[in-house]
Amino acid sequence: MTEMLGTQHHPPPSSACDPGWQRRRQRVMSDPLLCRNAWRGHIQDPASQRLTWNKSPKSVLVIKKIRDASLLQPFKELCAYLMEENNMVVYVEKKVLEDPALLSDDHFGPVKRKFCTFREDYDDISNQIDLIICLGGDGTLLYASSLFQGSVPPVMAFHLGSLGFLTPFNFENFQSQVTQVIQGNAAVVLRSRLKVRVVKEPRGKKVAVPNGISENGLLAASLDMEVGKQAVQYQVLNEVVIDRGPSSYLSNVDVYLDGHLITTVQGDGVIVSTPTGSTAYAAAAGASMIHPNVPAIMVTPICPHSLSFRPIVVPAGVELKIMLSPEARNTAWVSFDGRKRQEIRHGDSISITTSCYPLPSICVRDPVSDWFESLAQCLHWNVRKKQAHFPEDEEDADEEGGEERAGS
């Protein structure tokens, strides 16, 4: 995979990646002179993060929303441009090419024969991709994240779906925009992901592992046993959702932070999200919206049976652990970016911390401008009819009335 300098291949220091970082930070913070110099040297304008290639990218993964006829023409135009104009190797998922409209298109045949294909959960392409291009909605970006359990190539997402909060590019002038990205003329935002580890009690049921690859794309060797328990790890871009599932009882789960019990969630469930996920399910549940450059993890209850349970934000380096409470009347269910939904029983645990592998998302302009543009265009943030100003005669009357009151 072509190395991309200055972005995600050098993870930012955090307690999750570098245990000594907190100690060094405490020494710096205790010295006023060092503190002043350190902050002057390390605080960076988010808009200054730029995409820098070590060498020109040669392989690109194109992700297209499945079963959407409106995307067939943009998909064909993009792939032909990448292969014929840029001489790039294009990877696509095998089921994309199984679309009847593509199978019957004779004109697309020469291009189609040049594709490299893969199957999700069976083929590992993580070390073969230099660039990812998404065609569709926000779901295509989430899907791209799920394919890379380690380092993620830069992602360029075109808005061809319904919402498009995470897909800032318009397809009309895709040739010039793709060329700029290939040349390294683009800004990036490093979207933090969550490293999630699910540990389950063995219950006598074996997990099917086709061709040595587990259900989430990890090698079977990572399905390790912890004191007889089965552990699986996921990389999550938006959120981890723990809910009550089909049960009519309240969800009852304990939440630990760095080994200490901080609260018990009694309600429909709880959302643990990244700043990127703060504008998704968490926003609908009443959480604040956080810019993706902010290093944080959000904990948001879903319909809590408590008037005082407000959403909270915790530092990115902490580890959260969620388990069923001993008093829980029913099991819970967990999903990761809306996928891999599974049941959580007594004795199972979900450990969550910030991943060392963020997702580099390519910007149209810069991380700040793109984010506020998405807030305005997609979520209509703070859209309100402007208050009308007073007519001049009313303003004069108010001023005269004020003078009379002052004189009296």
Side-chain angles (χ1 to χ4, degrees):
M1 184 172 69
T2 298
E3 184 172 353
M4 181 185 63
L5 301 179
T7 53
Q8 122 297 339
H9 286 278
H10 301 281
S14 71
S15 58
C17 305
D18 181 3
W21 177 73
Q22 291 287 357
R23 294 191 295 273
R24 296 194 297 273
R25 181 179 183 274
Q26 289 171 0
R27 288 198 297 271
V28 170
M29 294 299 292
S30 64
D31 187 318
L33 180 60
L34 287 176
C35 176
R36 185 168 64 250
N37 291 339
W39 283 117
R40 183 184 297 132
H42 288 85
I43 290 184
Q44 183 183 13
D45 178 7
S48 67
Q49 297 175 355
R50 306 295 298 179
L51 174 65
T52 305
W53 299 103
N54 185 31
K55 57 182 179 179
S56 180
K58 296 299 182 184
S59 58
V60 57
L61 168 62
V62 177
I63 296 177
K64 184 186 80 71
K65 186 178 179 182
I66 304 295
R67 295 184 297 275
D68 190 337
S70 66
L71 296 181
L72 289 177
Q73 189 59 33
F75 172 75
K76 290 188 285 187
E77 292 178 9
L78 173 65
C79 292
Y81 176 75
L82 293 171
M83 290 181 182
E84 298 170 359
E85 300 296 329
N86 293 277
N87 197 29
M88 300 185 77
V89 178
V90 178
Y91 286 78
V92 295
E93 193 172 1
K94 188 174 182 180
K95 61 184 178 182
V96 170
L97 298 182
E98 294 173 352
D99 189 311
L102 290 177
L103 291 174
S104 59
D105 189 345
D106 295 333
H107 297 289
F108 193 61
V111 174
K112 187 168 59 177
R113 285 191 288 271
K114 297 179 182 179
F115 281 117
C116 292
T117 61
F118 72 97
R119 294 174 298 167
E120 184 188 10
D121 297 338
Y122 285 86
D123 302 317
D124 183 11
I125 59 170
S126 58
N127 292 323
Q128 303 172 40
I129 304 300
D130 299 328
L131 172 67
I132 303 172
I133 297 180
C134 296
L135 302 176
D138 293 347
T140 58
L141 195 70
L142 298 175
Y143 177 66
S145 172
S146 70
L147 295 176
F148 295 84
Q149 296 298 303
S151 179
V152 188
V155 181
M156 183 181 191
F158 285 96
H159 175 32
L160 292 167
S162 54
L163 184 61
F165 193 92
L166 304 178
T167 55
F169 286 91
N170 291 319
F171 194 77
E172 286 75 14
N173 55 340
F174 76 92
Q175 295 95 336
S176 61
Q177 296 181 106
V178 170
T179 299
Q180 287 187 355
V181 168
I182 293 174
Q183 293 174 350
N185 184 20
V188 294
V189 56
L190 297 181
R191 298 185 179 276
S192 64
R193 298 196 293 173
L194 298 175
K195 181 177 72 173
V196 186
R197 188 176 182 83
V198 180
V199 180
K200 291 189 175 184
E201 292 276 4
R203 295 184 176 89
K205 183 178 179 181
K206 294 185 178 181
V207 179
V209 184
N211 289 4
I213 303 293
S214 69
E215 65 170 354
N216 69 324
L218 291 175
L219 291 177
S222 65
L223 288 170
D224 59 290
M225 305 299 286
E226 296 183 347
V227 196
K229 297 184 178 182
Q230 173 195 325
V232 185
Q233 186 169 296
Y234 301 90
Q235 297 283 334
V236 176
L237 180 60
N238 259 3
E239 75 269 306
V240 181
V241 178
I242 298 96
D243 60 67
R244 60 190 176 96
S247 173
S248 59
Y249 292 110
L250 287 174
S251 173
N252 196 338
V253 295
D254 292 334
V255 181
Y256 296 83
L257 190 149
D258 287 340
H260 302 283
L261 178 66
I262 58 170
T263 193
T264 297
V265 179
Q266 297 182 95
D268 280 355
V270 63
I271 305 166
V272 180
S273 60
T274 64
T276 294
S278 70
T279 51
Y281 195 176
S288 296
M289 295 182 291
I290 300 180
H291 189 277
N293 276 112
V294 177
I297 298 175
M298 305 179 64
V299 180
T300 307
I302 307 171
C303 298
H305 199 247
S306 167
L307 297 177
S308 60
F309 197 166
R310 304 301 301 159
I312 62 172
V313 179
V314 298
V318 304
E319 180 179 68
L320 297 169
K321 189 172 184 179
I322 299 176
M323 304 177 67
L324 275 180
S325 299
E327 302 83 9
R329 296 182 178 183
N330 57 295
T331 62
W333 288 76
V334 61
S335 59
F336 314 92
D337 283 341
R339 310 179 81 221
K340 311 296 183 185
R341 187 167 171 83
Q342 54 196 268
E343 192 173 16
I344 299 297
R345 301 173 180 269
H346 285 285
D348 300 343
S349 66
I350 306 166
S351 298
I352 306 170
T353 190
T354 300
S355 170
C356 292
Y357 302 105
L359 183 144
S361 179
I362 300 173
C363 305
V364 172
R365 288 186 290 175
D366 61 74
V368 174
S369 300
D370 282 15
W371 192 67
F372 279 101
E373 181 72 13
S374 292
L375 287 182
Q377 296 298 321
C378 300
L379 298 183
H380 304 293
W381 177 62
N382 198 26
V383 174
R384 180 191 184 276
K385 187 176 181 180
K386 288 290 184 79
Q387 186 181 45
H389 64 80
F390 284 125
E392 291 185 3
D393 54 347
E394 290 187 19
E395 291 180 357
D396 294 340
D398 288 343
E399 291 176 2
E400 292 175 359
E403 291 173 356
E404 292 175 357
R405 287 192 295 271
S408 61

